[in-house]
Amino acid sequence: MPVIRTPALRKSLSAALIALGMALPASGQGMDDLFTVRDVGVDISSGNANIARDQGVREAQRKAFDLLFDRLTVDGARTALAPVASDVIERMVQSFEIQEERTSATRYVGKLAIRFNAAAMRNYLRANNVAYAEVRSKPILVLPIDQTGGAPVLWQTGTVWRQAWADLAPKQAGLVPVTVPFGEAADVNDIGVEQALAGDATALRRIADRYGAGDVAVVVASGTVETGLTVTIGLHPATGTAETVSLTQSPLPADSTEAVNPTLRAAVETVTHRFEERWTAATQIEAGTLSELKLTASFADQAGWLVIRKRLASISTITQTSVNSLSRTGAVLDLRHAGDISQLRTALAQRDLVLEEGPDGPVLRATR
């Protein structure tokens, strides 16, 4: 990779470096929502409204901490720790928002959004030797096939299984976003129900790429909400071997106030929790694990460099990035990152970056 040396181009490059910064921006930009827990409900009664409200905020912070802890760690990690004092949790809270509230003389009912300071939360986990994950995966594209009526149905509108997924998807805030296709003409053209059930790799990749998704999950529901559901999940990774797993959901009492039947909702939540656990287990980082890597970023022009720069800055497990040299078609970078090289590759892949071995060492490229 030749470094440009003519005075005019060197001056131009110097100006570009000043504008762009030799060190990339702090990583983790856009990750605030990962450390924000919304819709935390509290209902507190006390001596007066002000006391009840203060107690309600503290209770919401504790609930939010537990939910965030579970979001970033595998099942069971929290039970191994001693209870966390309220003042410790409060110091990790960056801000909170009252989404809804009602008060009376002695009661406070509210719904709050709690935003935690990401660095403080990481420090807590590391200090307690808790392995955690914070790399958000590309969305999983879910194809909900309803077989509760006998024949499998994918694109026809109005199936209760599809509605349950459509109701949940916009509310996802964890490490594994879920996308459900709209069921428009382009979707129908991309893949049919038989292709989905057969795991047609070409058709699955076609619709996933159009939605900017990574893995595709063909999720088939059979049985009934009255007798219980059997859900079969065919998970088709962007790379690697497909997996199939089945689970059952016992019937739950119907609730006329809910738009989605509780049995269907519980089945959807169980499936999405399985997605989260699978991803967290694969990407969690042992506390205190930091590595360094020198690599060459390869690009065609300045626009390509800006794309790579922006994507690197969005990866929270990359804690420091320094630019050693910059030319028209490449940059030599020093990265400091949490986790090992395999976990770094996984994190990069979620931002459409690939790390390959070149003749002179690792080479980083944008895939699109």
Side-chain angles (χ1 to χ4, degrees):
M1 180 188 67
V3 177
I4 304 169
R5 299 192 181 281
T6 65
L9 287 173
R10 189 162 58 241
K11 182 177 179 181
S12 174
L13 263 181
S14 298
L17 283 171
I18 291 170
L20 298 178
M22 284 296 289
L24 301 189
S27 62
Q29 291 181 351
M31 292 294 289
D32 280 353
D33 57 335
L34 181 62
F35 289 87
T36 299
V37 183
R38 305 190 66 83
D39 300 320
V40 183
V42 292
D43 186 343
I44 301 293
S45 296
S46 192
N48 62 60
N50 289 333
I51 294 175
R53 186 180 188 276
D54 290 343
Q55 292 177 349
V57 171
R58 285 195 295 273
E59 176 67 15
Q61 290 176 344
R62 174 167 294 281
K63 284 185 175 181
F65 172 82
D66 290 344
L67 289 167
L68 178 59
F69 190 104
D70 291 344
R71 179 185 292 176
L72 302 178
T73 63
V74 295
D75 283 350
R78 182 158 49 92
T79 59
L81 297 180
V84 188
S86 295
D87 61 326
V88 173
I89 294 175
E90 189 171 349
R91 286 196 294 271
M92 287 188 278
V93 172
Q94 182 169 307
S95 62
F96 66 86
E97 170 194 349
I98 306 295
Q99 296 175 270
E100 300 174 11
E101 67 177 357
R102 301 194 312 275
T103 60
S104 68
T106 59
R107 187 181 178 196
Y108 177 80
V109 180
K111 186 179 289 186
L112 292 82
I114 311 294
R115 173 173 292 178
F116 288 86
N117 180 285
M121 188 69 186
R122 293 185 192 108
N123 289 338
Y124 171 82
L125 294 168
R126 291 168 184 159
N128 287 276
N129 295 313
V130 177
Y132 67 96
E134 62 170 293
V135 171
R136 180 168 280 153
S137 79
K138 282 188 173 184
I140 286 186
L141 186 75
V142 170
L143 300 179
I145 295 180
D146 193 326
Q147 205 166 318
T148 57
V153 174
L154 175 57
W155 295 126
Q156 287 88 333
T157 59
T159 70
V160 291
W161 185 230
R162 179 180 181 78
Q163 182 56 47
W165 279 97
D167 181 70
L168 174 92
K171 302 174 183 177
Q172 293 298 294
L175 293 172
V176 185
V178 170
T179 297
V180 181
F182 300 116
E184 299 173 336
D187 300 327
V188 178
N189 289 335
D190 277 345
I191 191 168
V193 65
E194 296 302 330
Q195 289 173 300
L197 289 170
D200 185 315
T202 301
L204 291 169
R205 198 70 257 148
R206 182 166 55 232
I207 190 168
D209 288 346
R210 196 160 51 77
Y211 277 90
D215 299 349
V216 182
V218 179
V219 186
V220 184
S222 57
T224 68
V225 295
E226 292 80 18
T227 61
L229 296 173
T230 297
V231 180
T232 303
I233 309 160
L235 186 61
H236 303 269
T239 58
T241 307
E243 308 169 25
T244 302
V245 65
S246 294
L247 55 90
T248 58
Q249 175 60 54
S250 301
L252 296 174
D255 186 343
S256 59
T257 64
E258 291 283 341
V260 176
N261 180 279
T263 304
L264 292 165
R265 178 181 293 278
V268 169
E269 290 173 348
T270 300
V271 174
T272 55
H273 180 70
R274 186 176 289 267
F275 293 159
E276 293 274 354
E277 280 294 292
R278 174 180 174 272
W279 177 256
T280 302
T283 61
Q284 66 179 352
I285 295 167
E286 297 298 328
T289 305
L290 285 176
S291 306
E292 295 183 353
L293 179 68
K294 182 183 290 289
L295 58 83
T296 299
S298 177
F299 43 85
D301 50 30
Q302 184 173 327
W305 163 236
L306 290 174
V307 166
I308 291 177
R309 178 178 179 269
K310 183 177 180 180
R311 292 178 186 177
L312 286 175
S314 72
I315 300 173
S316 60
T317 53
I318 297 177
T319 61
Q320 183 177 333
T321 306
S322 300
V323 183
N324 290 332
S325 65
L326 179 64
S327 76
R328 285 176 294 190
T329 58
V332 177
L333 310 178
D334 284 328
L335 298 188
R336 175 169 290 192
H337 61 93
D340 58 28
I341 189 68
S342 174
Q343 291 169 318
L344 175 63
R345 290 182 194 276
T346 298
L348 292 168
Q350 308 318 302
R351 300 295 184 269
D352 293 311
L353 296 170
V354 61
L355 185 63
E356 302 171 326
E357 280 302 318
D360 299 316
V363 178
L364 181 71
R365 295 185 178 87
T367 57
R368 64 176 180 86

